[in-house]
Amino acid sequence: MSRQERRTEQSGEGQPRPSAPALVTGATSGLGRSLARALGDRGWTVLVHGRDGGRCAEVVDELRAAGGTAHPYLADLSSLREAAELGRKVAAEHPSLGLLVNNAGVGAGRDSHRREVSRDGYELRFAVNYLAPVVLTHALRSPLRAAGSAQVLNIGSIGQSPVDPDDVQFTRRYDGMEAYTRSKFALAAFTFTIAEEYAGEGIRVNCVHPANYMDTTMVTEAGVRPWSSVAEGTAAVLHAIDEGARGASGQYYNESRRAKAHRLAYSADTQRRLASLTDRLIAPAEGASGPSW
């Protein structure tokens, strides 16, 4: 991508000014923070999600100082109940939502052999990187539909490994990087599972791998030397948003190119199995009525 093309991506040249807000999860650092700034520059009202009130307020103040409109939303997405409560709060305060970016995530970790669990007792990467986005997307389906032309963009990864149906919680021979790639496989499969149905409601759903090993805390804490910048990742995410604005749905992007996710992520059988086990895992957070995929 040329410098001029990158400047065009960042400015959103040719795109209409959004009338409904955008929620970015994990917006207090790294890619999420950079994306929040870029969306603010494009005229979006940005709903800034984070776990820490001080860091959330800092980003909101930064966006407002630049002339934008932003609001803070706190939730720990390692708790599916908090993910559901976040969705309900956003839906109550913003009956129309133009964009949901499921960006918050947990990387491989400092010790790849140390298995961590979420507040619900689930394997942490599967919970935060996959189950929480599913819960949040479900909770926000109504305001997304109300926008008339909305998007869900899942921040995925080129690293994808099928979930083991016999060991979903990865209790045997645990590996942090494998846990991460399993969660990103599940997120891609979720994207393709809901895309057609949601498109019928005016909601486009896509998935993007923004860049390889960006200079983020997630990457450096895993002991990996960064290969690319957050700015490059932000440009790729904006490109995917622009593609969605032009009608693309059910797509996977490798940086700024349409690509193919893991072949099993498109399998109807894989999607049915994953949806079934996911329903069971998230049911306590979503209530007796259960999810609506």
Side-chain angles (χ1 to χ4, degrees), residues 40-182:
D41 289 343
R42 287 184 166 205
W44 288 88
T45 291
V46 184
L47 311 183
V48 176
H49 160 263
R51 290 184 301 166
D52 181 274
R55 292 173 66 186
C56 233
E58 185 179 295
V59 177
V60 168
D61 289 346
E62 181 181 321
L63 269 59
R64 289 175 177 170
T69 305
H71 307 285
Y73 284 86
L74 296 178
D76 181 353
L77 298 185
S78 72
S79 164
L80 298 185
R81 289 192 183 278
E82 286 201 28
E85 287 167 5
L86 171 64
R88 287 192 287 268
K89 182 175 182 181
V90 169
E93 296 179 359
H94 302 277
S96 179
L97 184 71
L99 173 65
L100 166 62
V101 182
N102 286 311
N103 166 73
V106 180
R110 289 187 175 89
D111 181 354
S112 64
H113 299 297
R114 179 171 172 260
R115 181 178 178 274
E116 299 173 277
V117 296
S118 71
R119 283 170 55 188
D120 302 299
Y122 301 146
E123 194 281 314
L124 184 63
R125 282 135 194 90
F126 193 71
V128 176
N129 299 352
Y130 169 61
L131 294 177
V134 172
V135 169
L136 190 56
T137 302
H138 289 167
L140 292 171
R141 186 170 179 176
S142 179
L144 287 163
R145 184 192 306 119
S149 180
Q151 295 187 59
V152 175
L153 184 61
N154 295 318
I155 305 302
S157 172
I158 196 171
Q160 301 164 24
S161 305
V163 176
D164 182 351
D166 297 320
D167 189 19
V168 174
Q169 299 302 335
F170 212 159
T171 59
R172 301 189 296 270
R173 298 184 298 278
Y174 182 81
D175 178 81
M177 183 56 73
E178 174 75 8
Y180 176 80
T181 59
R182 288 185 185 189

Side-chain angles (χ1 to χ4, degrees), residues 167-204:
D167 189 19
V168 174
Q169 299 302 335
F170 212 159
T171 59
R172 301 189 296 270
R173 298 184 298 278
Y174 182 81
D175 178 81
M177 183 56 73
E178 174 75 8
Y180 176 80
T181 59
R182 288 185 185 189
S183 71
K184 292 301 185 178
F185 170 90
L187 190 63
F190 173 64
T191 300
F192 309 138
T193 300
I194 67 171
E196 184 174 354
E197 181 181 353
Y198 276 46
E201 300 177 356
I203 307 166
R204 277 89 64 199

Side-chain angles (χ1 to χ4, degrees), residues 1-19:
M1 181 182 288
S2 70
R3 287 185 180 178
Q4 180 58 45
E5 288 172 326
R6 194 174 301 282
R7 283 195 293 268
T8 299
E9 292 277 8
Q10 294 284 352
S11 67
E13 184 178 315
Q15 297 296 327
R17 187 179 181 87
S19 59

